[in-house]
Amino acid sequence: MELNRVVVTGMGALTPLGNNIDETWANLLQGKSGAAPITLFDASKFKAQFACEVKNFNPNDYIDRKEVRKMDRCTQLGMAAAMQAVENSKLDLDTVDKNRVGVIYGIGIGGIKTFQDEVVYYGQHIEEGPKFSPFFIPKMISDITAGQISIHFGFHGPNYVTTSACASSCHALADAFNLLRLGKADVILAGGAEAAITECGLGGFTSMHALSTRNDDPEHASRPFSASRDGFVMGEGAGCVILETLEHAQKRGAHIYAELVGEGMSADAYHITKSHPEGLGAKLVMEEALKDAHMTTADIDYINVHGTSTHVGDISEAKAIKDLFGDDAYRVNISSTKSMTGHMLGAAGAVEGIFCVLSVYNNIVPPTINHEEGDDDPELDYKMNFTFNKPQKREVRAALSNTFGFGGHNACVIFKKYAE
C-alpha cells in the first residue's frame, strides 16, 4: 500500500513569548524569556512564585462571549491557536469536504482551573448541599478542546484528544500523521493546549520539588544543560498545525512550510516521573522516528530536545543523542526552547513541533538561553552543539522534536524541507 505524503500548510500559536506565530518566533530568535512573576493568582505563599504565562490574552478576540463562559482557559487557548492556523492555511471552509477534516489535540491535564474552582466553591458551601455549575464537567474534561474546535468549524472527521503528560501533543501530531498517510482524512488540525498555572498545578509540581525557585531572577531560571539549574519553569499555551495530504494541498494550491516524514513512540518502563538514566527510551523513540522516515542520523540537522532544565532529564537525553548519533552528535544543532517558553506540559510537543517547522523553513536554529557554566557530569559532553545563548543560521534539511512525559511516555516527530 502506497502511503500519502503529509505536509504542513498552516500554523497558529499562543505562547509565553507571543500571542501569534510571528511574535513568538521573533522573540524566540532574540533569546527572550517568557518567565515572570505569576499574575493569574496570588502566588506569594508558594515556593515558586513565577511561571511562563501567556500574556494579554483576551478570549473574546476569538470566541463569542457566551461561549467563553463555557470554556476553561485551556480550551480557550486551544481554540485560538486553531483559528489562527486555519486562517494561516487559507483553507476554504466553504468548499472543503468537512467530513474529511479532523481535529486531534494533545492535552496533558486539561481544565484544572475549572476543577479547582468548582471543588473550592463546593467546599465553601458544603452545608447547603451539592452546588456545581452545569458547565463543570464539559469545561473540565480534557477531550473537550478538540470537540469545541470541531463544533466551531463543523469538521466531522477524526476527533479526539491524546493524553500522555508532556508528550501529549507530540502524540497528537503522530496520530494525525498516521491517519492522513493511511487516507482516513484529507486535513487534520493537530495541536495541543495547556493552562495549568493555577494554585493546584503550581502547588502539585512544587511539592514534587520539580520547579525552579529562582524567584529573584525568573528570566534566568530555565537553564537546560547548565550546572546551576534547579528545576523546570511552568508554562502554558497552545499550538496548532494544519496537516494535509500532499495531494489535497496541491489541488487547492496551498503554501507548504515543511513535510512531516516520521514519528516514533516508546516507553521508558522505568519510573513514574524520572527519565531512564541511560536514556534508553529516548534513544529508542528517535530510532523509531528515523526508521519510519527512512532516514539516518546524517540526515538530521537540528534536534529540539525535551530539555526541561532538570539534572536527570538533561543528562539522559544528551546521552541518548550521543549514543544514537555517534559522530553526528557533534554536527547537529541541539537546543531547548523551554529555556524561553518554560515547560508548556501537554502543549509542548505542538509548539516545539512548530519551532522545528520554522527552523526548517527559515534555515535557523533557536538558542538554548541562560547558559553560564558547564555541568561537571561526565555524561554531558559539551563538544555537542547545544546552541547556547545565540541562534545559529545554517541549512536545516530536517529537524527532530523530542517530548517525554511522566509515566515514561516518549514521542518524536521529524519534519524536513518540502520538495516535489
Side-chain angles (χ1 to χ4, degrees), residues 21-93:
I21 290 287
D22 291 342
E23 185 182 5
T24 294
W25 183 241
N27 285 329
L28 194 79
L29 294 183
Q30 290 175 29
K32 291 189 176 181
S33 170
I38 290 171
T39 64
L40 293 170
F41 61 92
D42 180 4
S44 60
K45 294 182 180 180
F46 288 79
K47 290 183 179 178
Q49 299 169 5
F50 61 95
C52 288
E53 298 175 338
V54 174
K55 303 160 187 71
N56 303 313
F57 170 63
N58 184 354
N60 296 312
D61 292 340
Y62 297 90
I63 310 161
D64 180 79
R65 190 176 300 275
K66 291 182 180 179
E67 296 303 312
V68 167
R69 293 177 54 247
K70 303 174 186 177
M71 298 180 191
D72 186 88
R73 181 175 171 90
C74 176
T75 299
Q76 294 168 6
L77 290 168
M79 279 279 291
M83 294 168 76
Q84 287 182 11
V86 169
E87 182 179 4
N88 180 247
S89 73
K90 295 181 171 56
L91 192 67
D92 189 340
L93 298 176

Side-chain angles (χ1 to χ4, degrees), residues 291-310:
K291 187 187 303 181
D292 187 45
H294 304 289
M295 300 172 84
T296 70
T297 57
D299 298 311
I300 304 297
D301 292 321
Y302 171 46
I303 304 172
N304 186 296
V305 292
H306 187 61
T308 59
S309 189
T310 63

Side-chain angles (χ1 to χ4, degrees), residues 96-97 100-102 180 183-188 243-245 248-249:
V96 70
D97 183 354
R100 300 279 299 169
V101 182
L180 287 165
K184 301 292 186 180
D186 296 327
V187 183
I188 295 181
L243 297 179
E244 279 184 72
T245 64
H248 189 273

Side-chain angles (χ1 to χ4, degrees), residues 150-353:
S150 71
I151 292 167
H152 175 81
F153 288 107
F155 295 150
H156 297 284
N159 185 274
Y160 59 92
V161 156
T162 54
T163 297
S164 49
C166 306
S168 295
S169 55
C170 194
H171 274 123
L173 297 179
D175 277 12
F177 173 53
N178 286 327
L179 289 176
L180 287 165
R181 60 180 173 172
L182 288 171
K184 301 292 186 180
D186 296 327
V187 183
I188 295 181
L189 282 64
E194 203 76 271
I197 303 175
T198 69
E199 292 89 338
C200 287
L202 188 74
F205 281 115
T206 301
S207 68
M208 296 170 60
H209 304 289
L211 299 182
S212 170
T213 56
R214 196 183 288 263
N215 295 315
D216 59 338
D217 190 17
E219 291 186 0
H220 298 93
S222 184
R223 44 180 57 216
F225 308 109
S226 290
S228 56
R229 60 194 177 283
D230 67 331
F232 75 83
V233 178
M234 282 192 72
E236 63 172 359
C240 180
V241 294
I242 306 297
L243 297 179
E244 279 184 72
T245 64
L246 176 59
E247 181 181 9
H248 189 273
Q250 288 177 328
K251 280 184 178 178
R252 71 179 188 89
H255 179 75
I256 296 173
Y257 290 96
E259 183 173 0
L260 177 52
V261 291
E263 56 85 3
M265 306 182 198
S266 75
D268 277 7
Y270 171 72
H271 190 273
I272 59 171
T273 58
K274 294 179 182 178
S275 302
H276 193 288
E278 297 299 313
L280 298 185
K283 179 181 178 183
L284 177 60
V285 79
M286 290 186 285
E287 283 180 322
E288 291 298 313
L290 287 168
K291 187 187 303 181
D292 187 45
H294 304 289
M295 300 172 84
T296 70
T297 57
D299 298 311
I300 304 297
D301 292 321
Y302 171 46
I303 304 172
N304 186 296
V305 292
H306 187 61
T308 59
S309 189
T310 63
H311 182 78
V312 173
D314 289 356
I315 290 175
S316 63
E317 187 172 10
K319 179 175 174 53
I321 292 169
K322 188 175 178 180
D323 287 350
L324 176 61
F325 277 68
D327 289 342
D328 283 322
Y330 303 101
R331 177 189 56 78
V332 300
N333 277 76
I334 298 163
S335 74
S336 170
T337 48
K338 288 184 180 71
S339 60
M340 292 170 279
T341 66
H343 192 353
M344 289 179 281
L345 308 178
V351 173
E352 289 162 14

